[in-house]
Structures are given as structure tokens and as C-alpha cells.
Amino acid sequence: MTRILTFVAACALAILATSAFAQVPALEGTSPAEKARITALIEAAKGEGAVTYWDVVIQPETNDALTAAFRKYYGLPDSFKVNYQLLATAALQTRVEQEVGADKVTVDIAAIGSPSWVFERAAKGDALEYDSPQYQHYAKSIESGLGKKGFFAFNGAYLFVPMWDSTRLDFKGKSWKDVIAAVPAGRMSLGDVSKSAAYLATYAGQRKVLDVDYFKKLSETKGSFLVRSEQIASRVVSGEDLMTFTGMPTRAYQNNQKGAKLKFIFPEEGVVLLPQNMFILKKALHPNAAKLWIDFILSEQGQNLIVKGEALISGRAGFKSPLPEYAPPIESLKVIPIDWEKTSTADLQKLRQEWVGMFNP
Amino acid sequence: MQESTAVRRDPMTAATARAQSRVGRFAEVGLPASGVLIGVLLVLGPFLATVIRSLLYWDRDQVSLSLQNFVGLFGDPRFYQAVGNTVICGAGATICSCLLGFSLAWIVSRTDLPGRRWFEIFNLVPFFLSPYVGAVSWIYLAAPHSGVLSRLLNQYLGLPDDFIRIYSLGGVIWVLSLFYTPYVYLFVIAPMRQMDAALEDAARVHGASFWYTLRRITIPLLTPALLSSALIVFVTSAGLFDVPLALAAPKGIRTMPTEIFQLVQYPSDLGRAASFGVVVMIVTVLFTILQRRYIDRRRFETVTGKGYRPRLVQLRRGGRFAAWMLEFVYLGSGVVLPLIALFMVSFSRLWTGRLDPSVLTTHNFEYVLFGFKLTQTAILNSVYLAIVGATIGVALAVLQGYYLNRGSRRRRALVDSLLSLPLGIPGIILGLGFLIIAIRTPLYSTLAIILIAYIARFFPFATRTVSSMLLAINPELEQSARASGASWLQTMRYILLPLLMPAIIAAWLLLFVIFIRELGATILLYGQGTETISVALVILSEHSAATMTALAVVQLILLLGAFMLFRLTRASLLQA
């Protein structure tokens, strides 16, 4: 009798579990093996109860949308926590290195537009090896050096380009060179290369198409040095700066949504594409939840939410951007080629010194 | 049977009495001494950690004891730029604060200016506000081309709209002066009230003009108080991280605190940061010693106990106008205008440099209070740190104050000097010391390490407040209680603590206010989930002006609430 009851209970549980998982969108249309893998990850993630990620671009509102969709996608309960922190590039690097050095890792996933640094983390063994099935959709991006198979792809890419408020400035330039004389001295802002790895990476790329003399002339514009792209955009919107040398289309989109009239160009010499490489830390406290998060963010649905919220450029093959004006397809951009894996921190530090020597921030 | 029971009870009673006596003795000696010991550890811990770290030099994976960090620091021109700028900021803020603080104190304590009772209260308000929020507000007011004031000056006076250079050392000095003026004001107002007016009267009777009397009689009499406050303002303003971060960093102007912060950031150089910290600590310790000397002189020279009531100066129409103008300019610049700027930005969906009714919204407040986890966590953390920190800090202060005023006279001066050291150590350097201590321990990135750093940095403020009250309480009261059979704990419970209560409340509120707005130490110690309001303000200032200003308003309400409590409990700073 007891055996019969146990059998019935087990069957009932199995049916309940199957019906519960049947409602999980992530399992729809997947192979049995993939279904088993995802189901195991979901169960483990439920046990972990949370995932923590740090990012340098994604705004709180986008995070809210991603969190809700992530829970729904995997059928996770509302009690499952998605801890998120928005940091400046250098701050994220500092905190990750401190935590790894202190052997007290609290973050599961870091997403940052500093590809050389992420390649170094992977090489040093700080990144968890995880071959997400979603990477197959990023094969081209990974092959072109914007990711590393088995370790990381990117949740979106961004770039820094000249940006201005069209209600205050009628700029018709097409080249980086047109920017120098566009506004009076002191009315332009620049990303602070001495403090930010993202601006440093951009400078490293720009130096491939613009010589030192160009930057010497740029330094004579007596610009303000800022770190955050949001702050840079706010100052253009308020009229404090007439133009920025390092505007982010993402911020143009977000401010224009609120009524601003920001414009930008993709200069003809080319742009430096910064992939927001996402990697799981080797000693992450919630590795299973982190794997699910990576899978979700790289999925069609995750990319759609990110591009709609942040106007980032997707690296997913065949993805149709909902905001082509702000986040055009990678193929349409003239990207300055850089081998990030071979660009060491030491190389970048030399370029930083060169920039500091000219701009003296 | 009864007799034998009595015989058996006697030894027990005696033993109990002996045990109680031992407990009482331990409490009387041990508790105050433990308060001092904790204080000394809190001071020496980060100091030694910073010194040791400054002497460790990493070359790839090899570590050695070396002075290489100092060699690198002294060979770096940025070090001298940062030191030079810091000295300029500190000196500028000190001079301006002294001029303003002295003038305001004189107006409310020595003149018949109508409304001076109100000014007496409102002059203290900037003391309770966050200098960082003040600096950000001044950006919205005076940023070139977009600041509200800059536009008005351009529109109505035809001045260039970059006439006010807020992103400059001058801007830093201006904002620092606004927020440090109350320090000078507090220092000089009491001696100004106690001053013997006969000296001034004698000078005036002998034909001295008002200015001559002020220059030759009033100011020299107040010199010790002015010098004491000047030293405090110099040391604290030079070590402040927040205001240079907001106003100097965007123009690439280096100062000591921002440079140390930068050295800790990726690619971090903790060794050089520590060596920078050691140099600053040595200088500030010297300043603290100087400051102590002057404070001692001030006590000696001005507190005479005679209770003079100085004659009020009858202001003429011109003088009255000038005094009102000064009050209005100070309160306008330090309180009213920053508040207006904060409210305008916090109620706007998009800040375009002017108030646009079409973009007004309350969404920013709803988001900060109910929709954004970072700000909710930060508010809760700040309130928790302020309440728990202030409580622990005051408990320590009572024990230390007791030791310094009632304990053994041996080494009292040395202990007092040691416990005063954090007064001169900038928050960011103390934070660096605790970061070095905690980085490889479970304390790293926890609220506990932030709490410890707060207490370590600010307990001397509470100790001084409690000590000054203890000085005024005659020990005979406690001696009478002890002579009547009360234990030490009972004496503390029923005699001393009730008498100390005003100072305890004042010290608690003072620490509460300081902890709610503290940034220097926290910026290096916070982690995921341990952000405070000030840290969230810095994070948000880089992301969203609207939510940042909404959070600043929340912080402002907390701080002004503490100020109201201050007034309501009658434990004002002036009394303390």
C-alpha cells in the first residue's frame, strides 16, 4: 500500500513538474538534451536564489525589464533576485580585481566595454569557461575578435562619436577633423582617457586613423574631461557644452525619448566598436543562474530588450535592430579593426600616457 | 539550626560582596579603559596598516620592503600639483570661512540687528547639509552657459554666461567656505558673548573708531578661537573629497583626496596611495597637535567665568543694511539657492538648464523611494549606519570622556592627543587604511567595516562634546553618591548619565548628521548592497541628474529633521 502511494505521489509530482516546465518559454522548441540541460540549470538556479551582475551601460529601467522577462523566460519565482549594479568602467575593473584578489567574489557576471581587460581576465583564469549555446549566433562577432569562444560574447556594443544638441548647434561635419573648429574653446567635453578604460580603448582605435597632431589640436579646444556618458549627454542637453567628442548614441536615444534633440555622426574615418563583453567569474556564487542569465541576454528576446532600452549594437547574427538610427547593424558601420586579444594592458597604458601628456586632465 | 544557617550564610554574603566589589572595580576601571583601548585601536589600526602598505613594493609577483612607493610619489609632478591645489583650497576656504563666520557671529551676538535671533538659528543650517549636494546644486546654479544664475546674470546684467567659473579652485573654495563658515561661527560666538565689553568701551571712550576697536581690541581677544577654528577648517576642508570631485575633477584639477581615490581605481596602485596617505597623515597629525595647543590656549584665555553681558552695538541704517545683506547673501548662497536648484532639477523629467513646466514630474521621487533598489538600499543603509554608529560612538565617547576627566591623571594628555588624531585625518585616508585592513578578510565590502570606519573617523567629535559637559559637572556629586553606598554603576546610572544627557543627545545627533552625509571613507569601502546615500548620490550624479537630485532632497529632509530635533531637544551645538 505504501509503495503504491509513493508511486502515485511520485507520478503526480512528475506530472506537476512536467506541466510546470511545459509553461517555461525557454524550453519551447528545444531538443531533449537542451531541455534537460536548461531544466537542470533552472533547478540549480532556484536553489541559488539569485544572480548578481555588474554592468557599465545598462540603465535601471532596462534592468527592470530584463529582470521581469528573465524570470518569466525560465519560470523563476518572484523571490528569485537579480542583483544589479551600474558602475563606471574603471570602478567595475577595480572592484572585480579587488574581489578576485581578496578571494571574496560577490559578483557573478561582469559586463564591460573594455575588451583587452576581459581577454586578460580569461587568460589569467578569472573567467569561468562556459560555452553558451547562444554563442553559435555570435560566431561571426567572435571570429572578428569581439568575443572568445567558450568564455564570452557581448550583450551589445557601443561607440563614442561626436554628438551635439541640434537646437543649439547646426553641425554639418562628417569627419573627426570637422569637430575641432566646430565650437568655441571650452564648449566641448571629452571622455577622460586617464580614468576610463572605455575611452582609452576608443583612443587606441582612433590613433589608428588619426595622428598625434590631430589630438594636439583637439587638446587646444580646452574641453572638460568627464567619465560617464550620461553626464556627457546631460551637459550637452543643458547647454553647458555645445558638443561632445565622445557622445554615445545610446544616451542620445534615451535623452531624445524625453524630449531632447541630440544628434550625432559616425565619422567617415571609422568608429571604434566597444563590445560589452559578459563573462562569469570563476568563483561566482551563483554559476548556474549566471549561465541562464548569459543565455537569456544573448537570446533574441534579451537582445531585443537591450537594444530597445539602451540602443546598443547587437552582435547576434540575423538580428533586426528595432532602432536602426541609433543602433545600426554592425555590417553598416565602418569599424576600425583592432586585435583586442593582442592589445595588452601595458600597450594601453602607454597610449594613456601619450594622451595625458597632450591633454593633462 | 537557625544559627548554623546564619553561620553558613555569612561567608556567602562576604563572598558575594567581594565578587560585587570586584565587578564594581572592574566596571569603574575596566569600562572606561576599554573605551579608550577601542579608540586607540581604531586610530592606530588604519594608521599602521597604511604605513606598512606604503613600505611594501610589488615588482611583478615579488614583494619587498622598500621606499620605492615614496620615491615614485615624490618623483611624480602630479603629487605636487595635488598638494599645491589642496593647500590653495584649504587656505582659501579657511580665510573666507573665518571672515564670514566672524562677521555672522558678530552680527547675531553683538548687534541690535532686527531678526538676529532667527539668523542665529539659520546660520547653522549649512552645517547640517551635505557639501557634496551643495557642490552639485552650485553646478546647476552656476555652470557656464547653463546655470540658472549664469543665465540670469547674462540676461539682466549682460555678463558673459561663463562669468562664474564654478569648475575651478575658486568654485571649490566658494562651496567649501559656505559649508565651513558655521564651524568658525560656532567657535567664535561663545567667546564673543563672554567678552568683557569694558575693554571695547574703554577704547571707544578714548576716541577709537569702530574699525580701530574691532581691529585692535575685538579681533585680538578672539584670536585663539579664530585660530582654533581656522586650523579645524583648514585640515577638514583640505581633506574633503566630495567638493573637489564635483567641481575640480571635471577640469582636470587635481587635489589630494581625488588623487588618492584615483590611485585606488584601476589600474590601482595601493602602495603609492598608501604612501600619499602616510605623507598627509604626518602633516595632519602636526596640524592636529597645533590645533590642540590653540584649543588649550583658548580655554585658558577666554573662559573666565565672569559672565559678562556685552553691550550691543546700535547699527545705523547703512550698517543694518550691510548686515542684512551679508546674512541674505550667506543664507541665500548656502541654503536657499541650492535648495531651489535641487527642487527644480528633481521635479524635471529632463533638465535643460531652465525650468520647463511641460516636463515637471514627481516620477523621480517615486522612483527613488519605491522603484529603485539602489536608492532604497542606500537610504536604509545610511539610516542604519547613522543610528547604530551614533549609538556606539556616543557609548565610546562617554567611556572615553569619563577616563579623560575622572580617570587616572597619568598619561591623560597623551591619551587625549591620541584620541584626537582622527579629527585631522581625512576620511578618504582613513577609508584607505580600513580598506587595506579589510581587503582579505570577511569584513571586505560589508556594512560592518563602513560602520567601524565611521566610528573611528568621528568618535572624537562625540568625545569632545561629552568631555566638555563632564568638565562642567562637579565630581562631588558622584563622590556623595559613592559615600552614601552607591556602586560605581549606580552612580553612573542615577547621577552622571542623567546630568550628561543633553551632551549625549547633542553628540548623538551630531554623529547622526555626519554619518548620514559621510562620503570620504565610504567611497573606498562600499560594495554591492552596502551603498550609502552619499555613495548613491555620486553614482547617480554620473547617471541621472533627476534621480540624483531627488535622492539629495531625501537626504536633505533627513538632515533637516536632525536639525529640528537638535533645536527641539535644546541640545543645540551652541550649548554643547
Side-chain angles (χ1 to χ4, degrees), chain A residues 1 9 13 27 33 37 90-91 118 153 159 187 233 254 262 278 312:
Chain A
M1 187 63 185
L13 272 174
L27 299 176
R37 188 189 76 89
V118 181
L159 34 83
R187 298 301 304 275
Q254 286 163 344
L262 295 178
M278 277 192 307
L312 291 177

Side-chain angles (χ1 to χ4, degrees), chain B residues 444-522:
Chain B
Y444 174 75
S445 276
T446 59
L447 274 181
I449 192 68
I450 299 175
L451 184 72
I452 293 169
Y454 278 13
I455 295 167
R457 170 78 179 88
F458 295 107
F459 74 77
F461 286 95
T463 305
R464 282 173 175 248
T465 308
V466 173
S467 277
S468 61
M469 192 79 181
L470 265 168
L471 269 176
I473 298 171
N474 196 323
E476 285 173 3
L477 291 167
E478 299 142 66
Q479 287 159 7
S480 304
R482 297 300 297 274
S484 305
S487 68
W488 181 80
L489 286 172
Q490 285 170 324
T491 309
M492 287 292 283
R493 165 81 178 78
Y494 295 108
I495 306 293
L496 205 55
L497 286 179
L499 288 169
L500 278 176
M501 202 45 79
I504 287 174
I505 293 171
W508 194 91
L509 285 168
L510 183 66
L511 290 186
F512 180 88
V513 165
I514 290 171
F515 291 171
I516 285 283
R517 67 184 191 197
E518 209 285 334
L519 177 65
T522 330

Side-chain angles (χ1 to χ4, degrees), chain B residues 86-92 94 229-239 287:
Chain B
T86 305
V87 170
I88 291 170
C89 285
T94 305
S229 53
L231 277 164
I232 279 199
V233 170
F234 180 78
V235 169
T236 45
S237 63
F287 268 108

Side-chain angles (χ1 to χ4, degrees), chain A residues 57-228:
Chain A
V57 172
I58 289 175
Q59 296 294 300
E61 294 85 352
T62 310
N63 169 66
D64 293 344
L66 286 171
T67 300
F70 173 68
R71 286 197 194 112
K72 196 176 169 190
Y73 190 64
Y74 291 111
L76 293 167
D78 287 346
S79 58
F80 184 89
K81 285 184 182 170
V82 176
N83 302 313
Y84 136 91
Q85 199 167 25
L86 176 58
L87 294 162
T89 316
L92 190 148
Q93 290 168 315
T94 305
R95 300 201 69 82
V96 167
E97 294 209 345
Q98 277 182 4
E99 292 203 354
V100 170
D103 200 17
K104 195 196 170 195
V105 174
T106 63
V107 60
D108 300 315
I109 301 162
I112 183 171
S114 179
S116 296
W117 182 77
V118 181
F119 274 109
E120 276 190 4
R121 297 277 72 74
K124 283 188 175 180
D126 298 335
L128 182 79
E129 192 167 353
Y130 174 55
D131 204 356
S132 167
Q134 295 292 341
Y135 288 172
Q136 61 182 303
H137 303 290
Y138 292 79
K140 202 173 170 188
S141 307
I142 290 173
E143 277 168 25
S144 63
L146 298 174
K148 187 177 174 73
K149 192 162 172 26
F151 286 93
F152 56 86
F154 59 95
N155 62 10
Y158 59 91
L159 34 83
F160 296 113
V161 289
M163 188 166 82
W164 66 97
D165 183 343
S166 59
T167 62
R168 293 191 172 90
L169 183 70
D170 185 23
F171 179 68
K172 301 282 185 200
K174 290 181 177 174
S175 155
W176 287 107
K177 288 166 187 163
D178 298 328
V179 172
I180 289 182
V183 293
R187 298 301 304 275
M188 184 155 65
S189 67
L190 300 103
D192 192 339
V193 173
S194 72
K195 291 177 183 156
S196 163
Y199 297 122
L200 174 60
T202 302
Y203 178 66
Q206 286 171 332
R207 281 285 286 106
K208 291 184 184 291
V209 294
L210 298 164
D211 58 18
V212 173
D213 286 342
Y214 170 80
F215 287 97
K216 281 183 182 163
K217 281 182 194 161
L218 184 67
S219 70
E220 287 161 13
T221 60
K222 305 285 175 203
S224 298
F225 305 106
L226 302 168
V227 173
R228 289 301 308 180

Side-chain angles (χ1 to χ4, degrees), chain B residues 99-318:
Chain B
L99 285 172
L100 263 173
F102 178 88
S103 308
L104 296 175
W106 185 80
I107 287 169
V108 299
S109 67
R110 301 298 306 277
T111 73
D112 65 342
L113 184 75
R116 62 185 182 282
R117 296 285 168 230
W118 286 106
F119 289 134
E120 184 180 340
I121 297 167
F122 288 123
N123 285 343
L124 282 174
V125 173
F127 181 83
F128 289 83
L129 306 182
S130 156
Y132 180 70
V133 173
V136 172
S137 306
W138 267 95
I139 291 176
Y140 295 122
L141 287 168
H145 315 290
S146 67
V148 179
L149 275 182
S150 302
R151 283 169 185 266
L152 289 175
L153 289 175
N154 177 258
Q155 200 172 335
Y156 294 105
L157 299 178
L159 294 170
D161 55 7
D162 60 350
F163 177 72
I164 308 173
R165 302 285 169 108
I166 197 68
Y167 297 112
S168 64
L169 286 180
V172 175
I173 290 170
W174 168 244
V175 174
L176 286 173
S177 303
L178 291 174
F179 289 92
Y180 282 98
T181 290
Y183 284 72
V184 180
Y185 175 84
L186 283 166
F187 261 85
V188 299
I189 198 163
M192 215 175 242
R193 283 207 169 101
Q194 292 165 356
M195 210 187 321
D196 186 353
L199 294 166
E200 289 173 306
D201 290 343
R204 300 297 293 275
V205 164
H206 285 85
S209 67
F210 166 76
W211 290 109
Y212 187 88
T213 309
L214 189 71
R215 196 159 50 86
R216 302 303 294 266
I217 306 292
T218 313
I219 292 178
L221 278 172
L222 293 171
T223 299
L226 270 173
L227 284 175
S228 299
S229 53
L231 277 164
I232 279 199
V233 170
F234 180 78
V235 169
T236 45
S237 63
L240 199 70
F241 168 70
D242 345 14
V243 178
L245 176 76
L247 301 179
K251 279 290 174 190
I253 301 168
R254 296 185 177 86
T255 63
M256 178 271 293
T258 53
E259 202 62 13
I260 288 175
F261 175 70
Q262 204 48 50
L263 283 168
V264 177
Q265 297 301 297
Y266 175 83
S268 59
D269 190 344
L270 269 185
R272 192 175 289 192
S275 57
F276 205 146
V278 168
V279 172
V280 175
M281 275 197 279
I282 289 168
V283 174
T284 51
V285 164
L286 288 174
F287 268 108
T288 310
I289 292 166
L290 270 176
Q291 171 206 328
R292 283 192 54 76
R293 282 187 168 188
Y294 281 118
I295 285 172
D296 290 345
R297 276 182 59 194
R298 183 179 71 90
R299 280 179 188 153
F300 179 74
E301 289 179 4
T302 61
V303 181
T304 61
K306 288 183 180 174
Y308 294 106
R309 192 176 181 81
R311 180 176 53 80
L312 294 182
V313 175
Q314 310 286 316
L315 290 176
R316 292 180 195 159
R317 187 184 289 179

